[in-house]
Amino acid sequence: MILLSTCSAFYQSTVVIEAARGTSDERLTIDRNDGTVTSVSSTAAAPAFAAAPQRTMTAHGIMGIISLLRGPYLVLITGREVVGSIGSSTVYRASEIRVVKAAAESRVLSGVDAFDEATYLRLLDSALAVNSFYFSYDMDLTSSLERQQQKRQGAGSSLALYKTANDEFFYNKYLAEPLIAVAASNPSASVFVLPVIHGFFECRQVMVRGTAFNYVLVTRRGRKRQGTRYFSRGADEEGNVSNFAETEQIVDFAAPNASSTNPDLAGTQMSYVQVRGSIPIDWAQVINMRYVPKLNVTVEESRERFNKHMMRLISNYNDVVAVNLVNKARYEKPMGDAFAKLSQEFKSPHYHYTHFDFHKECSKMRWSRIGLLLDELAGFTAKFGYFKIKHDPRALSQAGEPLQLQVGVIRSNCMDCLDRTNVFQSELARVVLVKQLRDVGVFTDTDAIANFTSMRSMLNNVWADNADAVSCAYSGTGALKTDFTRTGQRTKAGALQDGRNSVERYIRGNFFDGERQDTIDLLLGAFQVTPGVPSPFADDQTIESKTLVGAVYVCLFMLAYALLYPRGGHWFCLSNFVFTTSWTLVLALVAYTVMKSHTAELLNWPKLTAYPY
């Protein structure tokens, strides 16, 4: 059942949603007063909605429904673009997402409620404005190829997409719950439930000696403990970890544009999966306006969280190798020690732990030393293998025949699970890609990616783009060290860019990410709007704090004025020197006062959910 677009009609008391294309004649109705969602056949609905609606809208899919103070709102995908395919299934990126009021026009808010409603809508718009939501109408993009095959074998290919979706990566699951509830009682309505992932997707065609295939890289970010860099760390009580993501590398000979002189390759797909996630213990970095935040690590209370996380990984991926990339000394040492201690206590034949001090081993731009870690993991890489399946080229949408399974996963992390993790994952993926291409005869035993300039450049850029996408979602900036990912070398220009990104991360982490955490909590349902409760957006800054902020702005203005219009006609005039020195001293005094007594008030904390620190 394929849903290509939906049409929404707004009547005085009801919103009607119908599938403009597809095999179902079902319509969804939303009561504009109480938000009740029901399904009804188009034949039964026709007499009731014979009159012209107040307005109509066309969209490419429904992310879901969210209830705010005024009532229900539709979250609609109103723009899309094709970004590639997996096999015969097209994958889209949501280029525009709109939050549309479904509540009755008669429901009007005023005062604080009106302000809160506008704030909620602004937060939602901000959360949905990112260009990293992807979906497909006829394949389960939330699941790896191997998991899709397992689902087909277990339940057949006739199940609705939402029923086979991976709960961890079904990013709009909370928004889709009202639609899922309707589809549970009326399977025909399942056409309206569209699983969406958040992360990264890129598809590139590769040509090697006359053989063409698609190289696909997809990253699925988890939804169960999502947030921003400093406000979402470690593991929760259920073992869900922050910044958890699954990255799948696909070599696709089943794509429509694939070709080969070897007919045995037609319909073949190969997939390799690796995961990342925050160190699975109870820890936090508490912002305090300093460049390096305060580190809180609680080891003894983390054992159950650690065990739940690792048991879930083993259940989902079989064997697990945890690769810890944090520093073994100074600030990060307690994190490494805690991870090692709990790993040693975790008795399972399916778990292995290794610690590679990335910064020490690869210092002074010795990036080739990442090969030491890859050599250490070579036995596990060979043992785990990769997924390989053969489809009938004449029926690509049908279940194929698995020829090989991936029986384990490598889980990597650094402090943020961003920069060092990105470098390691990209290098590991290259090792596996060479093995995959050699196994099917596209590469000879002596071929390497370095021998194919266009392929090497493509891989560098795709993995760097993936690094930036994951980093922007978590830290708000592009990734560090992407000059190495893009070029294979560390450069001075790349180091300067890393410095810029690091400064931006500091500013965002201290002064902007609290609100960004609120956008995520609202979108994913960690916070649910409840009418009649006090506003969560109350201004908690004191008059003294506001005065100090104003003083900072005045100082900066005066210093800028002295820079642009120096006294005496030039910067080094004595009067200009005295003027700038005086205002610099005032700024330093204000900054000292802020740091000593008002730090917590001036930082940007989340307002929707309780932050324990």
Side-chain angles (χ1 to χ4, degrees):
M1 188 175 296
I2 300 176
L3 175 66
L4 295 182
S5 62
T6 61
C7 182
S8 303
F10 293 75
Y11 295 88
Q12 184 173 357
S13 61
T14 308
V15 176
V16 180
I17 306 172
E18 63 178 312
R21 297 182 185 179
T23 61
S24 172
D25 69 345
E26 291 297 313
R27 295 185 181 187
L28 287 182
T29 65
I30 304 173
D31 189 297
R32 302 187 70 177
N33 292 305
D34 62 16
T36 302
V37 183
T38 56
S39 66
V40 61
S41 68
S42 57
T43 303
F49 304 106
Q54 294 174 340
R55 62 174 171 141
T56 61
M57 288 186 64
T58 299
H60 300 293
I62 310 171
M63 282 191 71
I65 301 171
I66 188 169
S67 292
L68 303 180
L69 294 175
R70 192 170 180 179
Y73 287 79
L74 279 166
V75 183
L76 301 176
I77 298 173
T78 52
R80 70 179 184 188
E81 64 176 356
V82 176
V83 289
S85 64
I86 298 177
S88 60
S89 298
T90 303
V91 177
Y92 300 89
R93 182 180 67 83
S95 57
E96 182 184 56
I97 302 173
R98 292 182 59 189
V99 181
V100 180
K101 177 170 61 69
E105 297 296 336
S106 59
R107 302 186 66 175
V108 179
L109 301 174
S110 60
V112 174
D113 285 345
F115 172 80
D116 287 354
E117 187 81 345
T119 304
Y120 290 134
L121 290 171
R122 179 175 59 80
L123 293 175
L124 274 177
D125 287 338
S126 177
L128 296 168
V130 297
N131 294 318
S132 51
F133 293 109
Y134 301 89
F135 63 94
S136 176
Y137 295 117
D138 56 359
M139 76 165 292
D140 177 14
L141 199 58
T142 69
S143 298
S144 65
L145 291 185
E146 182 168 350
R147 187 176 184 279
Q148 290 180 44
Q149 178 63 24
Q150 292 170 347
K151 286 290 184 179
R152 284 195 185 111
Q153 290 178 333
S157 58
S158 60
L159 283 179
L161 287 180
Y162 82 89
K163 289 189 175 181
T164 63
N166 189 325
D167 189 62
E168 177 70 50
F169 306 119
F170 188 167
Y171 205 78
N172 60 320
K173 177 74 175 291
Y174 165 67
L175 296 178
E177 283 175 353
L179 308 178
I180 293 173
V182 174
S185 58
N186 184 0
S188 297
S190 62
V191 69
F192 295 101
V193 186
L194 182 63
V196 176
I197 68 167
H198 180 232
F200 179 79
F201 182 96
E202 194 154 345
C203 176
R204 298 283 190 93
Q205 187 181 44
V206 180
M207 180 74 72
V208 178
R209 298 195 186 98
T211 296
F213 61 89
N214 278 358
Y215 178 86
V216 179
L217 189 67
V218 54
T219 291
R220 310 170 179 96
R221 300 187 73 234
R223 68 178 182 88
K224 294 185 177 180
R225 185 173 170 80
Q226 203 48 262
T228 60
R229 184 167 170 242
Y230 286 140
F231 294 119
S232 182
R233 292 294 207 189
D236 63 18
E237 294 177 352
E238 300 303 317
N240 302 306
V241 295
S242 302
N243 204 21
F244 183 72
E246 176 186 86
T247 297
E248 181 179 21
Q249 169 181 272
I250 300 173
V251 178
D252 191 2
F253 293 97
N257 58 348
S259 63
S260 173
T261 55
N262 181 358
D264 291 337
L265 288 182
T268 299
Q269 292 176 310
M270 296 179 289
S271 155
Y272 181 71
V273 169
Q274 46 188 323
V275 298
R276 73 177 76 193
S278 188
I279 293 179
I281 60 177
D282 182 10
W283 69 283
Q285 286 178 288
V286 185
I287 58 173
N288 53 9
M289 273 194 205
R290 301 182 187 278
Y291 186 75
V292 179
K294 179 183 178 182
L295 180 64
N296 283 5
V297 183
T298 308
V299 180
E300 295 306 318
E301 289 77 8
S302 299
R303 190 167 288 101
E304 185 176 356
R305 303 179 185 211
F306 181 94
N307 292 348
K308 284 183 177 180
H309 176 69
M310 290 306 173
M311 290 304 296
R312 183 181 298 121
L313 287 185
I314 291 171
S315 175
N316 291 336
Y317 300 101
N318 299 311
D319 286 4
V320 175
V321 174
V323 177
N324 188 8
L325 301 171
V326 304
N327 299 345
K328 292 183 177 180
R330 298 188 178 91
Y331 181 78
E332 296 180 5
K333 185 177 186 299
M335 300 299 302
D337 292 345
F339 203 166
K341 173 180 172 62
L342 293 178
S343 292
Q344 186 176 17
E345 295 175 1
F346 183 68
K347 305 298 184 182
S348 172
H350 302 287
Y351 177 74
H352 179 79
Y353 170 82
T354 187
H355 190 170
F356 181 83
D357 188 334
F358 186 99
H359 284 153
K360 178 182 177 181
E361 296 294 341
C362 301
S363 62
K364 300 179 181 178
M365 301 209 179
R366 298 176 299 170
W367 299 96
S368 61
R369 289 178 62 82
I370 194 72
L372 297 174
L373 177 57
L374 296 174
D375 290 342
E376 179 185 342
L377 298 173
F380 292 107
T381 305
K383 175 185 175 183
F384 294 168
Y386 57 86
F387 178 67
K388 181 179 180 182
I389 190 170
K390 172 75 171 178
H391 295 276
D392 184 345
R394 297 163 297 181
L396 292 175
S397 61
Q398 302 300 315
E401 178 185 356
L403 304 178
Q404 186 174 320
L405 301 178
Q406 182 176 339
V407 295
V409 73
I410 293 179
R411 179 206 192 276
S412 48
N413 71 269
C414 46
M415 288 293 280
D416 298 328
C417 305
L418 295 178
D419 313 312
R420 288 169 279 184
T421 301
N422 292 325
V423 172
F424 166 71
Q425 286 199 344
S426 67
E427 292 300 302
L428 177 62
R430 284 170 169 78
V431 170
V432 176
L433 179 60
V434 170
K435 179 173 178 57
Q436 290 172 324
L437 295 179
R438 286 177 178 174
D439 286 353
V440 296
V442 174
F443 271 12
T444 66
D445 290 343
T446 58
D447 279 338
I449 292 173
N451 304 138
F452 301 88
T453 305
S454 60
M455 178 189 279
R456 180 181 62 190
S457 176
M458 179 275 296
L459 289 172
N460 290 347
N461 285 297
V462 168
W463 274 94
D465 290 344
N466 175 70
D468 283 339
V470 176
S471 179
C472 283
Y474 192 51
S475 72
T477 76
L480 310 185
K481 304 178 178 65
T482 51
D483 56 329
F484 175 77
T485 311
R486 291 189 190 278
T487 66
Q489 297 180 350
R490 197 72 167 104
T491 64
K492 292 182 179 179
L496 289 174
Q497 180 62 35
D498 285 357
R500 177 185 177 278
N501 283 345
S502 295
V503 172
E504 185 177 351
R505 285 183 180 182
Y506 164 78
I507 294 172
R508 285 181 175 275
N510 283 275
F511 305 109
F512 295 97
D513 273 356
E515 181 170 293
R516 200 160 64 90
Q517 181 69 46
D518 287 337
T519 70
I520 297 168
D521 289 338
L522 184 60
L523 181 68
L524 297 182
F527 172 84
Q528 299 182 23
V529 176
T530 304
V533 301
S535 171
F537 304 113
D539 186 359
D540 52 4
Q541 280 193 3
T542 64
I543 295 296
E544 186 177 353
S545 296
K546 293 179 180 179
T547 302
L548 288 170
V549 172
V552 169
Y553 284 128
V554 170
C555 292
L556 292 176
F557 173 80
M558 299 305 290
L559 290 172
Y561 185 85
L563 180 66
L564 297 174
Y565 305 102
R567 290 171 174 260
H570 60 86
W571 293 338
F572 302 105
C573 176
L574 178 61
S575 60
N576 195 64
F577 174 77
V578 172
F579 182 83
T580 55
T581 301
S582 300
W583 281 107
T584 301
L585 290 174
V586 173
L587 179 62
L589 178 62
V590 172
Y592 173 79
T593 305
V594 168
M595 294 290 288
K596 184 177 180 180
S597 308
H598 299 276
T599 300
E601 295 175 49
L602 296 179
L603 294 172
N604 189 237
W605 302 94
K607 293 180 178 293
L608 298 187
T609 55
Y611 183 64
Y613 300 98

